[in-house]
Amino acid sequence: MRMEDLDPERSKAEYAQAALEDLRWLGMDWDEGLDVGGAFGPYAQSERGDVYLDAWTRLVEGGFIYPCRCSRKDLAAAVSAPHERGGREQDPEDEPVYPGTCRALHAAGAGAWLAGEDGPSGMNWRFRVPDGEAVAFEDLNLGTQRYVAGVDFGDFLVWRRDADRGSSRTGFCLRGGGLPSYQLACVADDSAMRITEVVRGADLLKSTARQMLLNRALGFADPKWFHCQLSVDEQGRRLAKRHDALSIRTLKERGLTPEAILAASTS
C-alpha cells in the first residue's frame, strides 16, 4: 500500500487515513504499506525524496532530460494552434504533446550544467523522447499496445517546478524546489520496491509507453502490465472525484455491503 501523496493540493492526512479505512472495510489487505511497514519503505512518496533525486540525477547525467521554462499558458497556446496538432486529435485527459520549444535550446546533455548542486533548480524538466520510435508492449488484459514517440506523445515532464510547497501532510520539499512527476516517481518507486506487476486503469496505457522509456534510460526492468477497463457513470464518463455520490464511503453510509460494491464494479 503505497501512498502517492506528492500533490500539495490534494494530499492531506485525513485523506490518507480515509483511504486506508475505506480499503480495509472493502476487504482489501496488504503485506507492506504505510500502516504496517515492510522491507522497502518508507511507503509514502513524500518521504522518498532521495529516491527521486537520484533518478533525476541519472537522467541528467545520461543526457535524457532538459530544463523547460514554458508556462502552462505557453503550452496551451501552442497546443490550440492547428498546425501544432499535426491533424491529430488531442486527448483532453492526456498531457498535451509538447511542441519542443525548449528542446531546441538544449542539445542532448546540455542540461547538466544547469543542475549543479541545486538539484532541479526549481525548473520543469522534460524527457527527450526518441522521435519516431514505436514503443510496444503486451498488456496482460488488453493485448498488444503500440505508441509512437513524438506522435502519440511528446517530451513529457519528469520534474515540476510549480509544486515547490511540497506535501501538506509532511511538508515535503526537495532542494531546488519542485517535485517529481507521476511518471518519474512511479518508475523510481516500482524499481526500488521490486514491483513485478502493475495493475491499473486503461486511461494510463499511454503512460506505460512513457514509463518504459524511463525504465530503459535508468536501466530498470519493465514490470508486467495489466490495464483494466474503467468504471463509468450512466453517461459513459469515467468515475472521478466529482462523483462523490459513488465514493466508497458514501456507498457504505447508504448501507451497501463490500460484497455488493465489488459485484457491481465487475458486472
Side-chain angles (χ1 to χ4, degrees), residues 32-101:
E32 303 175 46
L34 187 66
D35 56 340
V36 296
F40 299 102
Y43 290 92
Q45 287 189 330
S46 56
E47 299 172 12
R48 299 178 62 80
D50 289 345
V51 175
Y52 311 136
L53 275 174
D54 178 68
W56 173 85
T57 300
R58 292 168 63 181
L59 290 173
V60 170
E61 292 174 348
F64 295 105
I65 62 177
Y66 60 89
C68 175
R69 299 182 183 276
C70 295
S71 66
R72 286 195 178 101
K73 183 177 180 180
D74 295 335
L75 297 180
V79 171
S80 66
H83 67 278
E84 293 290 358
R85 293 198 300 267
R88 297 179 67 90
E89 195 69 29
Q90 174 66 43
D91 181 355
E93 301 283 358
D94 193 29
E95 179 180 331
V97 175
Y98 182 61
T101 307

Side-chain angles (χ1 to χ4, degrees), residues 142-163:
L142 301 177
T144 302
Q145 305 294 315
R146 181 179 183 274
Y147 297 96
V148 178
V151 177
D152 294 310
F153 62 94
D155 293 355
F156 55 91
L157 286 173
V158 296
W159 206 272
R160 298 178 294 139
R161 69 182 176 200
D162 59 348

Side-chain angles (χ1 to χ4, degrees), residues 87-252:
R88 297 179 67 90
E89 195 69 29
Q90 174 66 43
D91 181 355
E93 301 283 358
D94 193 29
E95 179 180 331
V97 175
Y98 182 61
T101 307
C102 291
R103 174 195 258 217
L105 301 177
H106 301 284
W113 69 273
L114 284 170
E117 297 181 356
D118 295 326
S121 304
M123 290 187 288
N124 290 327
W125 289 77
R126 292 184 178 276
F127 186 91
R128 187 189 307 270
V129 304
D131 286 338
E133 178 178 329
V135 182
F137 61 95
E138 193 68 22
D139 186 80
L140 296 178
N141 183 39
L142 301 177
T144 302
Q145 305 294 315
R146 181 179 183 274
Y147 297 96
V148 178
V151 177
D152 294 310
F153 62 94
D155 293 355
F156 55 91
L157 286 173
V158 296
W159 206 272
R160 298 178 294 139
R161 69 182 176 200
D162 59 348
D164 56 3
R165 285 176 295 168
S167 167
S168 57
R169 189 175 73 82
T170 63
F172 171 60
C173 185
L174 292 173
R175 60 184 170 83
L179 290 172
S181 70
Y182 164 79
Q183 311 293 356
L184 181 60
C186 282
V187 161
D189 283 341
D190 287 349
S191 177
M193 293 179 174
R194 302 183 188 178
I195 301 300
T196 56
E197 185 177 42
V198 172
V199 181
R200 58 190 180 192
D203 56 325
L204 291 172
L205 277 166
K206 198 180 294 184
S207 285
T208 297
R210 297 181 178 106
Q211 291 172 17
M212 289 175 67
L213 291 177
L214 281 173
N215 279 333
R216 184 173 72 185
L218 291 165
F220 298 159
D222 287 329
K224 296 179 180 178
W225 314 97
F226 187 110
H227 289 78
C228 309
Q229 296 294 351
L230 301 179
S231 295
V232 297
D233 64 12
E234 295 86 347
Q235 285 75 45
R237 299 174 301 176
R238 69 177 183 177
L239 298 185
K241 290 180 176 64
R242 64 177 177 269
H243 299 85
D244 185 61
L246 294 175
S247 69
I248 295 175
R249 181 148 298 195
T250 301
L251 294 175
K252 175 185 176 182

